[in-house]
């Protein structure tokens, strides 16, 4: 190579990872246009061939709320801490759906995009990040549904129940961020492991459904503590996030700053582990996928 070519300034230099912690966050910003293209692709492709399209954003939480209210509220008689049953279950479903969507869709990112990853370079974290962002659209629509139901029960109150928005509403952006990062971190760990252990793919959806019952989606934390299982439920970081979510919007929930900080700490630990494992796996996953 002559001296002229050696002195050239390249716009992009692609290098292999030098360590597990060699995470090129600068590249993520440089490829932000690609990130938003993937977000658009995820949203359009998922509902392009459906009849009802984005209406499924409303249909799924409405029917799930009705079923939960009938089964757990009426038949099982589980307490909702004085919150109208429909509001209680819809609030839990709204938060849980965003987390579970981030987890399940991120957990198959290597398998679903193997062809793209094997042909062209871009920061691989772009793909899972696009999933987290695109899921915000569905979350926003379901949050709007929650607001509409809150307005309805405000003007048509049910005797013996009450709810109100608290100052915890200012924590809402933090709660959304924690849900996104927790789902992203767990999804990154699982997608990295599925490159070698394909059986995990079949366990993810089933496992997420089971995990929901270990979170305060269908019962309040106070009920779990009354039954003696509160300490088990609290091991799940999503429990405290959902409790804080209900406290912010409905005024009821087992919320303290310390417990939320504990969930935030656990979330960042899981995210860190997920990024490190993802960073290690992406170097040679094409050979094992």
């Amino acid at each position: 190579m002559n001296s002229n070519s050696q002195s050239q300034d390249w716009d992009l230099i692609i290098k292999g990872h030098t360590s597990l912690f060699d995470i090129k966050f600068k590249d993520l910003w440089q490829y932000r246009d690609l990130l938003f293209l993937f977000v658009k692709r995820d949203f359009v492709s998922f509902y392009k061939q459906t009849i009802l399209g984005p209406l499924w954003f409303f249909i799924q939480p409405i029917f799930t709320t009705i079923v939960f209210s009938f089964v757990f509220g009426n038949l099982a008689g589980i307490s909702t801490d004085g919150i109208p049953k429909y509001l209680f279950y819809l609030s839990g479903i709204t938060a849980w759906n965003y987390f579970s969507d981030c987890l399940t869709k991120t957990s198959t990112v290597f398998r679903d995009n193997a062809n793209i990853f094997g042909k062209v370079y871009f920061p691989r974290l772009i793909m899972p990040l696009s999933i987290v962002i695109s899921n915000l659209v569905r979350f926003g629509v379901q949050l709007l549904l929650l607001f509409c139901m809150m307005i309805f029960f405000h003007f048509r109150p049910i005797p013996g129940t009450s709810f109100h928005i608290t100052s915890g509403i200012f924590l809402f952006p933090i709660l959304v961020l924690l849900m996104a990062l927790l789902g992203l971190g767990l999804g990154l760990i699982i997608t990295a492991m599925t490159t070698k252990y394909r059986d995990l793919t079949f366990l993810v959806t089933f496992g997420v459904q089971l995990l929901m019952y270990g979170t305060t989606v269908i019962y309040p934390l106070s009920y779990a503590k009354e039954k003696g299982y509160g300490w088990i439920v609290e091991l799940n970081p999503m429990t405290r996030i959902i409790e804080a979510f209900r406290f912010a919007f409905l005024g009821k929930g087992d919320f303290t700053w310390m417990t939320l900080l504990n969930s935030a700490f656990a979330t960042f630990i899981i995210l860190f582990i997920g990024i490190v494992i993802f960073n290690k796996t992406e170097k040679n996953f094409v050979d094992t996928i």
Side-chain angles (χ1 to χ4, degrees):
M1 183 178 293
N2 56 43
S3 59
N4 291 333
S5 61
Q6 287 180 342
S7 62
Q8 290 178 345
D9 294 328
W10 300 98
D11 294 329
L12 177 64
I13 300 176
I14 301 174
K15 298 179 179 179
H17 294 296
T18 57
S19 70
L20 290 178
F21 306 104
D22 182 20
I23 303 169
K24 297 178 173 60
F25 289 109
K26 183 180 179 181
D27 288 355
L28 295 178
W29 176 251
Q30 292 178 341
Y31 281 80
R32 59 189 180 277
D33 292 336
L34 180 63
L35 171 64
F36 289 108
L37 284 175
F38 281 137
V39 170
K40 182 179 179 181
R41 182 206 65 171
D42 292 340
F43 181 77
V44 173
S45 63
F46 191 77
Y47 294 99
K48 188 175 183 180
Q49 295 180 341
T50 60
I51 297 175
L52 298 178
L55 286 178
W56 285 110
F57 289 160
F58 293 99
I59 295 173
Q60 188 267 346
I62 289 174
F63 277 91
T64 305
T65 299
I66 292 173
V67 171
F68 281 6
S69 298
F70 176 72
V71 174
F72 300 107
N74 294 338
L75 293 183
I78 296 177
S79 169
T80 58
D81 276 353
I83 302 172
K85 290 193 294 289
Y86 292 105
L87 282 180
F88 178 87
Y89 293 117
L90 182 59
S91 62
I93 291 168
T94 300
W96 179 259
N97 279 348
Y98 179 59
F99 161 76
S100 63
D101 282 347
C102 292
L103 196 164
T104 54
K105 293 178 182 179
T106 303
S107 67
T108 59
V109 71
F110 273 142
R111 185 196 65 187
D112 295 342
N113 300 280
N115 292 332
I116 300 177
F117 285 169
K119 293 179 179 178
V120 63
Y121 169 78
F122 59 90
R124 303 313 187 203
L125 274 175
I126 286 284
M127 196 67 74
L129 284 175
S130 71
I131 294 173
V132 170
I133 295 174
S134 63
N135 285 336
L136 281 173
V137 178
R138 179 181 178 182
F139 176 71
V141 172
Q142 294 184 357
L143 192 66
L144 178 63
L145 178 62
L146 176 62
F147 287 150
C148 292
M149 192 167 289
M150 289 171 63
I151 294 173
F152 174 81
F153 282 106
H154 175 74
F155 292 103
R156 296 285 298 273
I158 298 176
T161 64
S162 64
F163 68 93
H164 61 279
I165 295 177
T166 68
S167 58
I169 196 70
F170 295 107
L171 290 173
F172 174 69
I174 297 176
L175 298 178
V176 175
L177 180 63
L178 290 177
M179 287 186 280
L181 296 182
L182 183 59
L184 177 64
L186 290 173
L188 291 177
I189 293 173
I190 295 172
T191 194
M193 295 178 66
T194 52
T195 59
K196 291 185 178 180
Y197 309 103
R198 297 293 185 88
D199 292 346
L200 287 175
T201 304
F202 304 102
L203 292 175
V204 169
T205 303
F206 176 66
V208 169
Q209 290 176 344
L210 290 181
L211 185 63
M212 184 187 72
Y213 294 102
T215 314
T216 53
V217 174
I218 59 175
Y219 53 83
L221 184 58
S222 59
Y223 180 83
K225 289 181 176 180
E226 180 183 331
K227 297 297 181 179
Y229 300 109
W231 66 274
I232 299 177
V233 177
E234 287 183 283
L235 293 176
N236 184 347
M238 269 301 293
T239 291
R240 288 300 183 176
I241 296 175
I242 291 180
E243 287 294 305
F245 186 83
R246 284 203 180 106
F247 173 78
F249 286 93
L250 305 177
K252 302 286 180 67
D254 195 333
F255 167 75
T256 64
W257 285 103
M258 184 56 64
T259 53
L260 184 61
L261 286 174
N262 290 339
S263 289
F265 179 75
T267 296
F268 283 106
I269 291 296
I270 292 171
L271 177 65
F272 175 77
I273 295 173
I275 291 176
V276 169
I277 295 176
F278 185 88
N279 192 39
K280 176 183 178 182
T281 306
E282 69 163 291
K283 293 186 293 184
N284 55 6
F285 88 95
V286 175
D287 299 327
T288 58
I289 193 72

